[in-house]
Amino acid sequence: MESINIVSLSGRLTADAFTNESKSFARFTIAHNFAKDKVVYPEFVMFAKNGKFEKKIPFDLLKKGAAVKVNAYFYPDTDKDGKPNGYKFVVKTVEPLTKEEEAAEDAAAKADAE
């Protein structure tokens, strides 16, 4: 059996993406609504270079409140001593939601809040 490791989530950024001076990565969090009073805040990291692949990080999109669709995979994370520290979501692609997707997302969040 082939191993599958794909995570696709949509939501709104909770803050502007964090990066370093050389902008070699971006870290960001989205708010993803499941149901009334059930929101998760997954954290993502996107690298400008990941192995042999290079990609442009869309910093203009990664702003607080932006509605996005993120495709990622999860990867074991370690602390500074190399000990297991959960996992991280590594971004493959991030794109803005279409107006229709954004409206549906907002309607679902509003209905869940009522």
Side-chain angles (χ1 to χ4, degrees):
M1 179 173 147
E2 182 180 347
S3 177
I4 298 172
N5 184 356
I6 300 169
V7 177
S8 293
L9 291 172
S10 62
R12 292 190 178 274
L13 269 76
T14 60
D16 290 356
F18 172 80
T19 190
N20 59 2
E21 191 173 305
S22 64
K23 296 191 175 190
S24 62
F25 73 91
R27 287 189 192 281
F28 61 94
T29 301
I30 66 170
H32 177 80
N33 295 302
F34 276 100
K36 186 175 182 178
D37 299 329
K38 291 184 183 169
V39 181
V40 295
Y41 300 93
E43 295 179 17
F44 296 92
V45 63
M46 183 174 195
F47 298 102
K49 185 169 184 164
N50 194 355
K52 62 183 176 181
F53 300 103
E54 291 190 40
K55 60 182 99 171
K56 181 177 180 333
I57 299 173
F59 286 104
D60 57 325
L61 172 62
L62 300 177
K63 301 290 184 188
K64 182 177 181 175
V68 296
K69 187 176 358 179
V70 183
N71 294 306
Y73 60 93
F74 69 96
Y75 192 80
D77 198 10
T78 56
D79 65 15
K80 62 183 177 183
D81 298 322
K83 295 180 182 172
N85 190 28
Y87 58 90
K88 60 185 171 187
F89 291 108
V90 180
V91 177
K92 295 173 84 170
T93 62
V94 59
E95 57 192 57
L97 291 180
T98 65
K99 293 295 180 194
E100 293 81 17
E101 290 169 326
E102 191 173 343
E105 183 108 357
D106 290 345
K110 185 179 179 183
D112 291 338
E114 295 175 345

